[in-house]
Amino acid sequence: MAYQPPVRDHVFLLEDVLKIDQYAELPAFADASLDVVKAIIEEAGKFTGEVLAPLNSVGDKQGCTWHPDNTVTTPDGFKEAYKLLCEGGWTGLGSDPAYGGQGLPHVVNLSFSEMSSSANMAFSMYPGLAHGAYSAIHTGGTDEQKQAYLPKMVTGEWTGTMNLTEPHCGTDLGLLRTKAVPQADGSYRITGQKIWISAGEHDMAGNIIHLVLARIEGAPAGVKGISLFIVPKYLLNAEGEIGERNEGVKCAGLEEKMGIHGNATCVMAYDEAKGFLIGEENAGLRIMFVMMNEARIGVGLQGVAQAEAAYQAAAEFAKDRLQGRSLTGPKNANGPADPIIVHPDVRRMLLDSKAMIEAGRAFLFWTALQGDLAHGHPDEAVRQKGADYMGLLTPVLKGYLTDKGFKVCVDSMQVFGGSGFTEHFPASQYLRDCRIALIYEGTNGVQALDLVGRKLAANGGRAVMSFFAEIDAYIEANSGDAAMKPYLDGLASVKAQLQDGTMWLMQNGLANPDNAGAASTDYMHLFGITGLAYMWAQIAKACLAKGDADPFYSNKLVVGRYFVERIIPEGAAHLAKLKTGSATLMQLPAEAF
């Protein structure tokens, strides 16, 4: 039941659905011809399938080990795999060539990231967090800071972290107490405790560059008084190389977690550690959000990635496990029973999973492409739309895809039956690893609130109105194709429901904010279904253009029809629930719970 990287699916999306070759004139795509991209994806499949996947169970069973000298060792094989990761140049795929990166489009980097996370979620978090820290420094750092830290973060010689959460505050960062005291040399002394810091300490890289949110003495209360600091594990000497230990930085322990055991989730203690301000005082949250938004898309990807691995295992098991007979007569007449793949309810769970995974991956890739266009397209209108979509859709990708990704992992365990509840099969690990994705980088409830409370109203609703207009234009442009009718009809129906829900929020959310809060999760799921319906329409169009000779394409059309018939109807239920408002939800007194 080894994970098999879905190389052909990734190539199909990039080549036939997104048609990335049409962007060859853009800087990021200049060196990303289809031949190059295909070669990268092929090699990514080999590396993740052959190097990372075999270590997934090892990391789960061994976990990380904290030592009294405040160091941490990773599971057997992780250090060697990380060395191969760096040597292969995988850590710099999407990074700026000015600092040694390959400068490839984010959508191509996302392909590798998904395979890496499917193969070994805990391992993939080390380079994933490092790239987020790279992005924050790249966005907000001085030229000196960029030159000092980014080249070795690009090569993977150094990794990075994000330090937000404290024992008394997680989502509400305005409550943080970590303090920063200015020093005569321009540095700061950082004191405080941070918890749940992924990759906070480990033995795979020469230095760890911590990005720490703290409050400078005398700063305003709340989020307006938060600054961001680089606090390296090792300080740099005059030549920019690793110098003396930053003695005030220590890993005080590891969290005992439900899953992702192979990743070191640390309690970080800062006791007058030396730090360096990034950007302006009291503007740290804005820069950190660069990292957080990137991380949120990455977490949405984790939902799809764990779903893919869990689905593969469940589908293989369902084809091999003999149990009972088909309701329409034996399908394995020479055997004692039929494989459970013949049973409609098993197929329901597998098709629910497959329909979500394939369109969820497309939605991630499509949105990442919008980000690439936002950064590199010469047309200002295209750049604006790309940036609008990234802002609007990030909470949807994070919240909806992790909710559904976890559901796939639950259904995978159900397909395995009692076997799935044991540690002899992989279903348990996928379920346990995936569960954190619904929580970290802002819980899914927070993502839903962000969507309805901020993203919808941004710029007068420009992003969501553009999204609606794009779908309308797509339906109109393809309405003459009879073979597309089922997919277009399904898309039109759920888009109309989303538009109805949006109008309801605009009319009822402002008058009573609890209405918006009560509707937010159902609205986010309705938005997610709409996004996936749009992706299935695009996938169907690409498959129809290929003809029916190859079952790779004809099978996708069947899965797309299943999505239209069995999943799109869920949109009506979400709309009905969100329109009930908050009255009953908020009526019960707290003591009655």
Side-chain angles (χ1 to χ4, degrees), residues 254-403:
L254 294 176
E255 301 288 353
E256 293 291 333
K257 309 187 298 293
M258 173 180 173
I260 53 169
H261 296 152
N263 193 268
T265 305
C266 302
V267 176
M268 298 300 299
Y270 295 91
D271 184 8
E272 295 198 346
K274 193 165 190 174
F276 307 92
L277 181 69
I278 304 180
E280 298 177 0
E281 292 186 2
N282 306 325
L285 207 55
R286 179 184 59 79
I287 302 170
M288 182 61 90
F289 263 113
V290 172
M291 186 174 186
M292 290 172 67
N293 284 333
E294 181 173 311
R296 284 171 177 170
I297 293 175
V299 174
L301 179 142
Q302 287 178 335
V304 171
Q306 291 305 288
E308 172 69 38
Y311 163 78
Q312 284 189 21
E316 184 179 347
F317 183 86
K319 287 182 278 190
D320 291 339
R321 175 70 165 173
L322 302 181
Q323 201 86 164
R325 287 296 188 186
S326 167
L327 298 174
T328 56
K331 300 298 185 288
N332 179 33
N334 295 325
D338 288 332
I340 62 173
I341 191 74
V342 305
H343 302 309
D345 197 57
V346 171
R347 284 176 166 257
R348 173 189 63 80
M349 290 185 283
L350 292 175
L351 276 167
D352 275 359
S353 301
K354 190 171 179 62
M356 191 290 291
I357 292 164
E358 295 200 14
R361 174 184 296 124
F363 201 17
L364 279 161
F365 282 26
W366 181 84
T367 307
L369 177 59
Q370 307 309 311
D372 286 322
L373 298 180
H375 285 104
H377 201 280
D379 187 328
E380 183 180 353
V382 175
R383 292 198 305 272
Q384 181 186 86
K385 186 177 83 166
D388 283 351
Y389 280 0
M390 286 292 287
L392 174 68
L393 298 177
T394 291
V396 180
L397 295 175
K398 196 282 185 187
Y400 180 74
L401 294 183
T402 58
D403 274 351

Side-chain angles (χ1 to χ4, degrees), residues 101 169 207 223 272 415:
C169 75
N207 203 358
V223 295
E272 295 198 346
V415 170

Side-chain angles (χ1 to χ4, degrees), residues 150-165:
L150 295 188
K152 286 186 169 57
M153 296 179 77
V154 168
T155 62
E157 293 172 75
W158 299 350
T159 60
T161 69
M162 54 190 296
N163 287 238
L164 289 77
T165 306

Side-chain angles (χ1 to χ4, degrees), residues 531-580:
L532 267 59
Y534 185 29
M535 295 305 109
W536 268 119
Q538 295 183 58
I539 292 168
K541 182 176 181 178
C543 290
L544 288 166
K546 295 290 186 179
D548 56 6
D550 188 338
F552 177 84
Y553 304 110
S554 56
N555 289 344
K556 286 189 183 300
L557 291 171
V558 174
V559 178
R561 286 288 294 268
Y562 179 89
F563 183 88
V564 170
E565 294 170 5
R566 299 289 297 244
I567 297 178
I568 283 181
E570 295 174 7
H574 288 300
L575 177 62
K577 288 193 289 182
L578 77 84
K579 292 173 78 171
T580 62

